[in-house]
């Protein structure tokens, strides 16, 4: 009990939207999944790797601050909404976060992502009957001598290369980022990062194979831009029992719009006898 002589102090802490974000993360079992792939296997660690990465993810969702400013971003928040305890925020320096990101890179990220995506599909009842794919370039500046495709931890790494730059910066190197989302809510389903000089058209076969394995069957509609319109990609999907459609706004390599069979209730799609599995 305070006595009249004791000074009163007021301390405010931020919650922001993190209680809502945390509710979704809990349903995704995000921290639990991170902990299973990023174990605390070193007694010298002052913060669990899963806790650090969970803070990084919260920052990406709500603040999008750089790694060196992560501690500054986290400082005003109640540590509990960051999954931390009092005193942990001071440990979020860029060296510790960087080392933890290295751990994330070296872990079995493919299995981590697959487990998370499948869990989200089940928990939120995401419809996977129609999946939309697109790719873009991620432009980089500076010198990255180690980003040459070398093997790390028994796995090849993507190489930063010059290629067809979609940011209209042919002078800069890049990576190719390939993303597939659901038509139901635009939920990210799968992604890959490829060498910066990878042509878009050769990405569709491995992307479709990945989605086939993830969904568990070929009977989903794969929607992509005009780079899908190659004999190799369409023939591969058709041969494996898949279905596909080209985005109406895109044009194939020859510059001609794909003819349509008739009205399509989905406003952004074209269908063509040459480009659908079921047409004669």
């Amino acid at each position: 009990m305070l006595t009249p002589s004791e000074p009163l102090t007021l301390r405010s802490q931020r919650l922001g939207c993190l209680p809502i974000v945390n509710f979704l993360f809990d349903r995704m079992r995000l921290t639990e999944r991170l902990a299973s792939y990023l174990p605390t296997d070193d007694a010298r660690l002052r913060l669990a790797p899963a806790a650090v990465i969970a803070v990084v993810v919260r920052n990406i969702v709500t603040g999008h601050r750089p790694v060196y400013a992560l501690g500054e971003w986290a400082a005003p928040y109640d540590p509990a909404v960051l999954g931390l305890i009092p005193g942990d925020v001071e440990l979020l320096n860029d060296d510790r976060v960087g080392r933890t990101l290295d751990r994330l890179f070296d872990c079995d990220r493919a299995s981590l992502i697959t487990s998370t995506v499948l869990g989200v599909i089940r928990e939120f009842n995401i419809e996977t009957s129609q999946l939309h794919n697109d790719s873009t370039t991620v432009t980089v500046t500076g010198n990255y001598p180690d980003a040459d495709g070398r093997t790390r931890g028994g796995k090849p790494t993507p190489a930063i290369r010059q290629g067809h730059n979609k940011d209209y910066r042919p002078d800069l190197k890049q990576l190719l980022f390939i993303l597939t989302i659901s038509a139901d809510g635009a939920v990210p389903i799968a992604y890959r990062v490829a060498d910066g000089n990878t042509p878009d058209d050769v990405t569709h076969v491995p992307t479709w194979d990945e989605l086939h394995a993830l969904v568990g069957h070929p009977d989903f509609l794969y929607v992509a831009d005009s780079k899908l319109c190659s004999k190799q990609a369409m023939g591969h999907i058709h041969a494996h029992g898949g279905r596909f459609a080209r985005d109406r706004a895109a044009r194939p390599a020859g510059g001609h719009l794909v003819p349509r069979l008739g009205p399509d209730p989905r406003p952004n799609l074209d269908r063509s006898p040459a480009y659908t599995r079921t047409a004669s």
Side-chain angles (χ1 to χ4, degrees):
M1 181 175 180
L2 292 174
T3 63
S5 60
E6 292 177 324
L8 298 177
T9 59
L10 178 65
R11 183 181 63 176
S12 63
Q13 291 181 311
R14 182 181 300 169
L15 296 177
C17 63
L18 283 181
I20 298 174
V21 172
N22 288 340
F23 172 75
L24 297 174
F25 282 0
D26 288 344
R27 291 185 63 181
M28 293 169 60
R29 296 168 54 198
L30 179 66
T31 302
E32 178 183 341
R33 295 182 195 280
L34 288 171
S36 66
Y37 287 90
L38 296 169
T40 307
D41 53 1
D42 189 337
R44 297 171 297 177
L45 293 174
R46 300 181 63 186
L47 274 180
V52 175
I53 297 301
V55 173
V56 171
V57 175
R58 290 180 175 94
N59 170 57
I60 292 173
V61 171
T62 66
H64 208 66
R65 298 293 299 278
V67 168
Y68 66 81
L70 188 65
E72 177 185 353
W73 169 81
Y77 284 95
D78 180 349
V81 297
L82 297 172
L84 304 175
I85 61 175
D88 282 352
V89 170
E90 288 76 10
L91 302 177
L92 292 173
N93 57 68
D94 54 353
D95 286 339
R96 176 169 286 108
V97 176
R99 290 194 298 270
T100 307
L101 288 171
D102 282 342
R103 278 179 168 246
L104 177 64
F105 185 87
D106 290 330
C107 79
D108 186 1
R109 287 174 289 115
S111 296
L112 169 60
I113 294 169
T114 299
S115 172
T116 303
V117 169
L118 290 176
V120 167
I121 290 173
R122 289 191 298 266
E123 176 66 23
F124 296 91
N125 195 27
I126 303 299
E127 177 59 57
T128 59
S129 60
Q130 186 178 141
L131 302 176
H132 291 243
N133 172 265
D134 199 6
S135 60
T136 190
T137 51
V138 179
T139 304
V140 301
T141 59
N143 187 23
Y144 294 85
D146 295 334
D148 56 2
R150 66 186 62 189
T151 299
R152 174 167 172 168
K155 297 177 290 186
T157 58
I160 295 176
R161 305 285 192 205
Q162 286 185 303
H164 177 64
N165 189 281
K166 299 177 183 180
D167 293 325
Y168 306 103
R169 290 298 305 271
D171 56 310
L172 297 178
K173 294 183 179 181
Q174 63 192 26
L175 291 167
L176 186 69
F177 184 79
I178 307 156
L179 178 66
T180 303
I181 63 175
S182 67
D184 177 17
V187 177
I189 297 296
Y191 89 98
R192 289 188 298 115
V193 178
D195 295 351
N197 59 352
T198 304
D200 290 327
D201 55 340
V202 303
T203 66
H204 290 292
V205 169
T207 296
W208 189 88
D209 286 345
E210 179 184 10
L211 296 172
H212 181 194
L214 183 67
V215 175
H217 60 80
D219 193 24
F220 58 90
L221 183 66
Y222 179 74
V223 184
D225 64 12
S226 60
K227 299 299 176 61
L228 171 64
C229 302
S230 70
K231 182 177 181 179
Q232 179 187 15
M234 294 187 297
H236 179 85
I237 297 173
H238 172 78
H240 290 80
R243 298 181 295 123
F244 50 86
R246 183 186 64 80
D247 189 288
R248 176 183 297 176
R251 291 177 180 267
H256 302 291
L257 287 174
V258 178
R260 290 196 298 170
L261 290 175
D264 193 322
R266 296 161 300 187
N268 295 322
L269 299 178
D270 283 333
R271 290 188 287 183
S272 163
Y275 299 154
T276 56
R277 175 174 62 88
T278 56
S280 58

